[in-house]
Amino acid sequence: MEDNTDQKRLRAALHYGILEACEGSPIPITKETVALVTELTLRQAEMMAHDLECFSQHAKRSTITGDDVLLCARRNPSLQDTLKEKQDSLPGASKRKSKQKAGPAAASS
């Protein structure tokens, strides 16, 4: 993030969201644990953002697509399936599918 204020706001919002998610837990969760999970989540998001940029650049695109996100989830088949279902339910999903099907067939013709 460019602005330190934005980064602090993001960190605070994420911390609050994690704290809220943990409130219903039957096992008490310490403030230190919430802080560690917040830090872990932020660092994981930074790594994923970098990976997404790399995947997009490798494909010679200037835009990150859903396919890049699916590539990030390649080592977690359950997550990848969930993301594919979500991607297919988004508007324009049938348009993307027809492009994907037409792409390789058109190249081999």
Side-chain angles (χ1 to χ4, degrees):
M1 293 198 133
E2 304 152 5
D3 188 37
N4 197 21
T5 304
D6 286 344
Q7 193 171 21
K8 286 179 182 179
R9 291 165 83 190
L10 175 62
R11 184 179 301 277
L14 184 59
H15 184 86
Y16 178 76
I18 291 169
L19 192 59
E20 287 288 308
C22 293
E23 274 187 0
S25 174
I27 301 171
I29 299 172
T30 65
K31 291 180 182 179
E32 293 82 11
T33 301
V34 173
L36 287 172
V37 172
T38 300
E39 188 62 31
L40 172 71
T41 304
L42 282 171
R43 292 200 183 187
Q44 189 69 32
E46 288 171 359
M47 287 190 318
M48 185 178 203
H50 176 74
D51 287 349
L52 290 169
E53 287 176 22
C54 290
F55 294 150
S56 174
Q57 289 173 356
H58 181 74
K60 297 179 178 31
R61 286 184 274 105
S62 59
T63 303
I64 294 170
T65 67
D67 291 334
D68 299 320
V69 176
L70 290 174
L71 195 53
C72 276
R74 69 192 179 278
R75 291 192 180 121
N76 186 337
S78 172
L79 176 60
Q80 196 171 39
D81 291 343
T82 301
L83 291 172
K84 281 180 186 176
E85 288 175 17
K86 181 66 176 173
Q87 184 182 37
D88 291 344
S89 71
L90 295 173
S94 59
K95 186 177 175 183
R96 281 190 298 271
K97 284 181 187 175
S98 63
K99 279 185 181 180
Q100 289 174 352
K101 289 179 184 176
S108 64
S109 299

